[in-house]
Amino acid sequence: MWASSTPSSSHGGTMALHTPLTILVIDDERSFVRVLATLLRRDGSTVDTADNGELALALIEQRPYDVILYDIQMPARTVPTFADIVKLLFPALWQRVIFLTADTFRVETMAFLKQSGQPWLAKPCTIAAVRSAIAQMLHNAAEQLSQQA
C-alpha cells in the first residue's frame, strides 16, 4: 500500500494525468471534494461526486468508472458493506478503488485498509499524491490484464 507520503518518482509527482479518466469521488467533506474534482477536471478527467455510499452505488450502476476515490469515514453505508457490494457486483471496478482516510490512528481503520488490499491515501493529501496513486493503480491494473492474456 502507499500513502500520501510515498510519491511515485517515475511520474514526477506534480504532473497531470496523461489520459483523461472517468473518476468517481465519494466523500462527504464538500470543500475537499470541490477542490479535488476541480483539479482532476483540469487534467481532462470527467469527475462525478457522491456524498454517500447509496448515491455512489447508483452512479456506479449508471456509468463505468476508471477510478473510484472513496473516503472510508462516510455516514450511512459502512465501508465494509460498500466494499463487499462493489467486490460482489463490480469485481473489475474493485481493483480500481483507492481509499482516502484521515483516520490513520484507529486500529480498525488500518486493519480494514490492510485487509482490503487496495491502495490508500492519508488525508489531507496533495493532488500530486492523488495523481501518483491513480497512475500507479492504473499501471498495476494494466500489468494484471497483460499477465492474464
Side-chain angles (χ1 to χ4, degrees):
M1 285 334 95
W2 61 86
S4 60
S5 61
T6 313
S8 172
S9 59
S10 63
H11 293 32
T14 59
M15 294 175 57
L17 298 170
H18 297 292
T19 306
L21 302 170
T22 303
I23 300 172
L24 176 58
V25 177
I26 310 164
D27 197 312
D28 61 336
E29 291 181 44
R30 289 189 177 144
S31 60
F32 177 79
V33 170
R34 189 171 30 253
V35 170
L36 182 57
T38 298
L39 293 171
L40 292 170
R41 287 178 183 130
R42 285 184 187 164
D43 292 341
S45 294
T46 300
V47 181
D48 292 336
T49 64
D51 62 2
N52 64 67
E54 300 295 328
L55 176 56
L57 288 171
L59 290 170
I60 290 168
E61 290 175 355
Q62 295 172 16
R63 170 185 276 188
Y65 289 97
D66 297 307
V67 177
I68 294 179
L69 299 170
Y70 187 75
D71 178 14
I72 65 171
Q73 293 176 282
M74 295 288 293
R77 186 175 294 281
T78 63
V79 174
T81 301
F82 178 84
D84 292 340
I85 291 170
V86 172
K87 279 192 273 190
L88 178 65
L89 299 179
F90 311 98
L93 185 57
W94 171 250
Q95 298 303 315
R96 295 173 178 262
V97 173
I98 298 172
F99 290 109
L100 305 168
T101 186
D103 185 21
T104 58
F105 295 107
R106 277 189 54 216
V107 172
E108 296 85 2
T109 299
M110 297 313 294
F112 170 78
L113 290 170
K114 184 176 182 179
Q115 182 275 331
S116 77
Q118 292 305 110
W120 60 276
L121 294 170
K123 288 171 51 180
C125 53
T126 65
I127 188 63
V130 172
R131 288 175 179 143
S132 179
I134 290 171
Q136 185 64 48
M137 188 258 329
L138 292 173
H139 174 77
N140 292 347
E143 279 187 353
Q144 286 177 352
L145 282 177
S146 69
Q147 289 174 359
Q148 293 172 357

